[in-house]
Amino acid sequence: MASAWKKDKNQKLLSPKTLISLLVLSIIFLSSLFFFFSNSSLQYSNPNLSINSPYPIPPFDCFKCPQSKPIIANVVENLKYPFVYSLADLGNLPEKPHKNIVRLLKGKPFRKPDISATIQEVLDSMRASGKNGIVVDVGANVGMASFAAAVMGFKVLAFEPVFENLQRICDGIWFNRVASLVTVFEAAASDRTGDITFHKLVGRLDNSAVSEVGARLAFKSNKEIAVQVKSIPLDKLIPPSQPVLLIKIDVQGWEYHVLKGAKKLLSGKPAEAPYLIYEEDERLLTASNSSSKEIRDFLKSVGYSKCSQHGTDAHCTKE
């Protein structure tokens, strides 16, 4: 017995890094099994996809989209209306996992995205004042703004041209049970209809920018892949009769072109004009041959005279 005790005592324990790696792999494996069996045993229909679609381009069909994998998802902390979203950036596994993976392993929710809290605060205020309408999310990424609105009961039109992001949005539509509220378009909102070149970053394929330089500035990478995606102006897709409560735009320097393509939508009466949130990063705008002054001048020309800065985001309304 004594020799057996000595033998056991000399065995090496697993390092914390190895334990984290095993836990991450276990979560990935169990998530993949869950989605395989749930998707193979049940059939779902998307109420936003119909033969007589009112839109000039067809919505993205999540139920025909290949399942993203691995799936690491969690609820977001400290929101009045919580939601779940799926991570696209996992970090460098196993050495340096994404911070939200570390939080998950510690039993904590994902960190609250600032844009999610902002969207819910603005919409809560607008609903309290009796306003109603849809939310437009341009540059939806993995859906953190879209789901923040959808779990409040608002209908959302989400624009996202990057396939890897679309897969994660589809995850979130299922997790949050909002298929009847979120309509997704595999397209970039712009000022013209056609095709546009996007630059996806090697190692961060979940993110993109129209400008090659802008992509590198935004995500600190020197390698990117050029892909062709559809582009469409918001004015071509959203009819004038459709009330729009809020438009959020985060497109890595392409904001001016999105706004130009929504001129009719933004030219309504103050009581009907959507609340506008857009990223105003001068470096990214310059990389796309634009500027914050050009945007502000355009917004003034359609009646948006009141703008305030919130970090790198600008909030604009009509008085």
Side-chain angles (χ1 to χ4, degrees), residues 196-202 205 209-210 212 223-229:
I196 193 170
T197 301
F198 259 60
H199 297 272
K200 301 200 304 182
L201 298 188
V202 174
L205 293 179
V210 174
E212 181 179 354
K223 296 181 180 179
E224 68 284 325
I225 301 170
V227 294
Q228 291 290 307
V229 300

Side-chain angles (χ1 to χ4, degrees), residues 39-73:
N39 287 342
S40 62
S41 59
L42 296 174
Q43 294 294 324
Y44 303 101
S45 61
N46 187 342
N48 288 326
L49 296 175
S50 62
I51 296 174
N52 299 317
S53 173
Y55 304 109
I57 59 174
F60 186 74
D61 190 347
C62 283
F63 303 98
K64 292 182 180 178
C65 171
Q67 177 62 58
S68 65
K69 56 186 179 181
I71 303 160
I72 299 181

Side-chain angles (χ1 to χ4, degrees), residues 162-316:
V162 180
F163 182 75
E164 290 81 2
N165 282 352
L166 290 165
Q167 288 183 299
R168 303 301 174 173
I169 291 173
C170 290
D171 290 344
I173 286 174
W174 161 245
F175 287 140
N176 296 292
R177 308 298 195 268
V178 291
S180 63
L181 294 172
V182 179
T183 302
V184 189
F185 296 96
E186 186 179 10
S190 189
D191 53 354
R192 64 188 67 182
T193 302
D195 293 325
I196 193 170
T197 301
F198 259 60
H199 297 272
K200 301 200 304 182
L201 298 188
V202 174
R204 284 296 303 271
L205 293 179
D206 57 307
N207 283 300
S208 63
V210 174
S211 164
E212 181 179 354
V213 176
R216 294 176 182 176
L217 284 173
F219 306 111
K220 299 178 182 178
S221 174
N222 294 319
K223 296 181 180 179
E224 68 284 325
I225 301 170
V227 294
Q228 291 290 307
V229 300
K230 292 186 178 104
S231 68
I232 188 169
L234 294 180
D235 282 341
K236 292 281 188 183
L237 192 131
I238 302 172
S241 59
Q242 173 66 66
V244 178
L245 273 183
L246 183 149
I247 302 175
K248 166 256 170 187
I249 308 170
D250 184 354
V251 287
Q252 311 304 327
W254 203 248
E255 283 75 10
Y256 177 61
H257 301 276
V258 177
L259 292 166
K260 279 178 64 182
K263 186 174 182 178
K264 291 180 182 178
L265 183 61
L266 299 173
S267 298
K269 298 176 182 178
E272 302 169 353
Y275 191 103
L276 185 60
I277 301 175
Y278 68 92
E279 186 179 37
E280 194 177 73
D281 187 317
E282 200 66 54
R283 297 177 312 139
L284 299 177
L285 291 170
T286 300
S288 296
N289 298 314
S290 181
S291 68
S292 57
K293 182 182 183 305
E294 189 174 30
I295 290 177
R296 295 293 180 99
D297 288 345
F298 169 77
L299 289 175
K300 286 179 182 177
S301 73
V302 293
Y304 279 82
S305 57
K306 185 180 179 181
C307 291
S308 58
Q309 201 72 23
H310 299 255
T312 58
D313 289 341
H315 291 218
C316 298

